[in-house]
Amino acid sequence: KNIYTLFFYFLLIFENKRLNLLVSNTTMPALSFKALDTFYVNFPEKLSEQKVIGSLLKKLDSLITLQQRKLEQLKQLKKAMLQQLFVDKNNKQPNSRFKNFKGNWEQHRLEEVAQVTMGQSPSSKNYTDNPNDYVLVQGNADLKSNKISPRVWTKEITKQVHKGEIIMTVRAPVGYLAMANMDAVIGRGVAAIDGNKYLYYLLQTKLMDRTWEKLSSGSTFESISSNDIKNLEIKVTETEEEKLITKLMNTVTYFVTLQKNNLTQLTTLKKYLLQNLFI
């Protein structure tokens, strides 16, 4: 009767780490009544203060949930646009098209429209943690938010990706993409594709339809080869139509990124409030 339920709910979230220290170290870890009986918490005596704190955090939780739904809707919109604006292997024209564009799209092998460079790992003795050395991209762990996220550096140059080129993972998980936001050395886990932003979006459709998954399924280490990438059949259209598709996809991608940032800020705010509203 002396504690507001909603306040207590968020208090237990705040105390999660301390509660986990009470978990028994057995085959089936559990919290015992005896352990909980020794667990003390701090809370304001006035129910009015508890209600203000609980209500504030509840409203923030509701806002975070709404923003998560909005992000999922934007992701689904982007996925639908990729499916509608690009041509799959069974068709010659897209399902949706800009006005005044007609005719079938042309089929090519990827190597006919872009240069593919497979990565080659430097010697491990040349790896460093010095940001003044060359950034090394070895796989998905070095890519974040579809960009290079420096984690390891090297003194040795083997193969490179240049700023503005496409990076694609060739080992599990296969087919994930990033746009190089800097020059970097590339290891065996990735390939560099000297293509434009239109090709970047087109390759996203290959991840969606599980093209790479099917190619790598027979591989021991779930990987794809240089020939798999170079011989990939793609369909392209005239330059002006490609530019319009790219512009539209850039716009929806911008809103997806913006929404992710909004959600991150709200999550950070909740963490800050939990740390500062409780003792």
Side-chain angles (χ1 to χ4, degrees):
K1 63 182 179 180
N2 294 321
I3 194 163
Y4 181 52
T5 305
L6 197 54
F7 171 86
F8 191 54
Y9 166 74
F10 288 109
L11 176 61
L12 290 177
I13 292 175
F14 169 73
E15 295 286 9
N16 182 263
K17 288 184 179 180
R18 281 211 305 141
L19 281 168
N20 272 285
L21 294 175
L22 302 177
V23 174
S24 60
N25 188 21
T26 58
T27 305
M28 295 188 68
L31 271 172
S32 67
F33 179 81
K34 183 177 181 181
L36 284 172
D37 197 39
T38 64
F39 189 78
Y40 291 87
V41 294
N42 296 297
F43 58 93
E45 292 183 5
K46 292 184 177 180
L47 279 173
S48 58
E49 184 176 0
Q50 295 178 28
K51 287 181 179 179
V52 169
I53 294 173
S55 297
L56 173 63
L57 291 170
K58 177 63 176 177
K59 287 179 180 178
L60 185 56
D61 258 4
S62 297
L63 184 57
I64 288 173
T65 299
L66 287 172
Q67 296 302 313
Q68 286 172 332
R69 288 175 186 167
K70 185 176 179 180
L71 176 59
E72 286 307 310
Q73 288 173 348
L74 283 167
K75 286 181 176 179
Q76 289 301 316
L77 173 62
K78 180 178 179 180
K79 182 178 179 181
M81 288 172 64
L82 286 169
Q83 291 172 332
Q84 294 295 315
L85 294 173
F86 290 88
V87 181
D88 61 36
K89 63 180 180 179
N90 299 317
N91 295 291
K92 296 181 179 180
Q93 295 186 27
N95 293 323
S96 299
R97 203 162 192 182
F98 289 97
K99 190 177 180 180
N100 299 327
F101 290 100
K102 299 178 180 179
N104 295 335
W105 286 23
E106 295 181 359
Q107 182 166 302
H108 292 276
R109 288 183 293 114
L110 181 60
E111 68 173 348
E112 294 174 346
V113 299
Q115 181 178 340
V116 178
T117 303
M118 301 299 288
Q120 180 182 338
S121 299
S123 172
S124 58
K125 68 181 181 181
N126 292 317
Y127 290 5
T128 76
D129 56 4
N130 184 358
N132 293 319
D133 291 328
Y134 302 101
V135 174
L136 175 60
V137 178
Q138 303 177 93
N140 201 45
D142 303 301
L143 305 175
K144 187 177 181 181
S145 299
N146 305 113
K147 295 180 180 179
I148 296 173
S149 180
R151 187 176 60 96
V152 182
W153 289 262
T154 179
K155 294 181 179 180
E156 179 186 358
I157 297 178
T158 49
K159 301 293 183 178
Q160 285 185 289
V161 62
H162 300 288
K163 184 177 180 179
E165 293 182 347
I166 302 167
I167 304 174
M168 187 173 76
T169 58
V170 299
R171 291 186 174 184
V174 175
Y176 282 84
L177 301 162
M179 291 297 295
N181 49 318
M182 62 184 75
D183 292 348
V185 174
I186 53 174
R188 286 180 294 178
V190 296
I193 302 172
D194 182 16
N196 56 21
K197 201 71 177 288
Y198 169 81
L199 185 59
Y200 170 73
Y201 288 123
L202 188 154
L203 289 173
Q204 287 186 23
T205 68
K206 301 304 177 183
L207 183 61
M208 287 166 49
D209 66 13
R210 300 172 62 194
T211 294
W212 304 119
E213 184 180 333
K214 294 168 187 174
L215 284 171
S216 64
S217 60
S219 167
T220 306
F221 300 103
E222 290 186 31
S223 63
I224 52 177
S225 68
S226 173
N227 286 334
D228 289 331
I229 302 172
K230 292 178 179 179
N231 292 325
L232 175 71
E233 291 184 353
I234 61 172
K235 291 174 182 176
V236 298
T237 183
E238 57 185 281
T239 304
E240 289 306 313
E241 187 173 14
E242 289 185 0
K243 286 181 179 179
L244 287 173
I245 292 171
T246 301
K247 185 177 180 180
L248 184 55
M249 292 309 307
N250 281 342
T251 301
V252 71
T253 299
Y254 166 79
F255 283 113
V256 169
T257 302
L258 185 65
Q259 188 61 23
K260 284 181 180 178
N261 292 339
N262 289 341
L263 192 55
T264 299
Q265 289 174 354
L266 286 170
T267 305
T268 302
L269 175 59
K270 180 182 176 181
K271 183 178 180 181
Y272 171 83
L273 290 175
L274 285 171
Q275 291 172 339
N276 287 275
L277 291 176
F278 297 96
I279 299 176

